[in-house]
């Protein structure tokens, strides 16, 4: 079998076209969705992610503000800035790019963001709403994965989703979203013994580890759907995922590439959350 590519870039573009229509409608009634992005310190990868997020906002006519802060800032200064943004009526979405410097208590910072402006869906209120199947701002990467599968018409109910990686921003919420769609879910992580034993049972395999070549052909069942969330560099400095792409492609039914896979979907979902927040705050339904 040779897998079909799931073209995240194309799917993200069609999602963005839909959002663009909503932004135009909002503008007609005098509402311009606004996203504030806080970048602390000068982590190069974070800077690139933030630049891409801002560019996407500009393309759609979403107002975007970048707040760059030095990594010497204090916990109080950062939470003060967030409180300001919580009260700023031109801002509907707030995103604090992670990771934060080690002296900052990240969980407290996330809890400072108003749950109604939580463009990343990281606030415990939104995580709780997601877990209980209520309307919520969903974490962008896991949400993007679900939209990709929906786009290719893949039926999730009754399937076995195996998630490799248990971060708060990808692995854990991805498993929850699959559960919400009636999949059977298995989580694997760095302490899992005999990883291939679990991953070989996956109908849907999500690799969100951050280490290249974690998933080889030996880890994959013939015909599985493989979603690669990794963002790594190979020896030549080229972007690559967590999956050994060439060999797994020969076994899977569908696979997401890196780049042009999950990454563009994450950004599209961020735009979606920002517009959703603007609509909620202004009590508009389109
Ligand atoms: N760091 C890596 N991915 C993300 C993300 O989706 N949002 C934020 N805020 N930080 C990240």
């Amino acid at each position: 079998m040779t897998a079909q590519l799931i073209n995240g870039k194309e799917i993200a573009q069609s999602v963005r076209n839909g959002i663009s229509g909503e932004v135009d409608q909002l503008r007609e009634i005098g509402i311009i969705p606004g996203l504030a992005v806080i970048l602390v310190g000068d982590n190069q990868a974070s800077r690139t992610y933030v630049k891409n997020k801002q560019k996407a906002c500009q393309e759609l006519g979403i107002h975007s503000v970048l707040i760059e802060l030095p990594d010497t800032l204090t916990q109080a200064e950062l939470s003060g800035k967030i409180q300001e943004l919580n009260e700023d009526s031109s801002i509907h979405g707030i995103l604090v790019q992670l990771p934060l410097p080690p002296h900052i208590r990240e969980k407290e910072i996330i809890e400072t963001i108003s749950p109604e402006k939580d463009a990343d869906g990281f606030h415990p209120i939104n995580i709780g709403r997601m877990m209980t199947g209520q309307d919520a701002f969903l974490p962008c990467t896991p949400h993007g994965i679900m939209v990709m599968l929906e786009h290719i018409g893949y039926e999730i109910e009754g399937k076995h989703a195996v998630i490799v990686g248990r971060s708060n921003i990808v692995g854990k919420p991805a498993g929850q979203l699959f559960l919400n769609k009636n999949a059977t879910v298995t989580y694997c992580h760095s302490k899992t013994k005999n990883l291939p034993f679990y991953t070989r049972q996956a109908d849907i395999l999500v690799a969100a580890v951050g280490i290249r070549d974690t998933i080889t052909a030996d880890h994959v069942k013939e015909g599985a759907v493989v979603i690669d969330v990794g963002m790594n560099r190979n020896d030549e400095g080229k972007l690559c995922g967590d999956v050994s792409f060439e060999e797994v492609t020969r076994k899977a039914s569908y696979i997401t590439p890196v780049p042009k896979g999950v990454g563009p979907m994450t950004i599209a979902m961020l735009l979606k959350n920002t517009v959703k927040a603007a609509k909620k705050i202004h009590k508009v339904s389109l």
Side-chain angles (χ1 to χ4, degrees), residues 46 49 53 95-99 120 122 140-141 169 266:
S46 288
Y49 294 149
K53 290 170 184 177
L95 179 159
V96 180
Q97 188 66 29
L98 304 178
D120 260 326
F122 292 169
C140 300
T141 300
I169 67 180
T266 298

Side-chain angles (χ1 to χ4, degrees), residues 9-30:
K9 200 175 170 203
E10 249 175 52
I11 302 170
Q13 191 54 55
S14 80
V15 172
R16 279 158 71 151
N17 291 344
I19 302 168
S20 173
E22 285 194 49
V23 173
D24 292 346
Q25 281 176 278
L26 285 171
R27 184 176 300 107
E28 277 167 26
I29 53 172

Side-chain angles (χ1 to χ4, degrees), residues 32 49 52 54 74 76 78 90 102 119 125 130 144 148 161 167 203-204 208 218 231 246 260 267:
I32 300 185
Y49 294 149
N52 290 338
Q54 285 221 295
T74 64
L78 182 52
S90 72
I125 292 260
M130 173 187 69
M148 276 176 140
S167 70
D203 299 310
I204 308 160
D218 189 45
M231 278 280 211
E246 299 297 331
K260 298 185 183 172
I267 294 182

Side-chain angles (χ1 to χ4, degrees), residues 198 242 252 276:
Y198 296 99
D242 293 346
K276 179 183 166 115

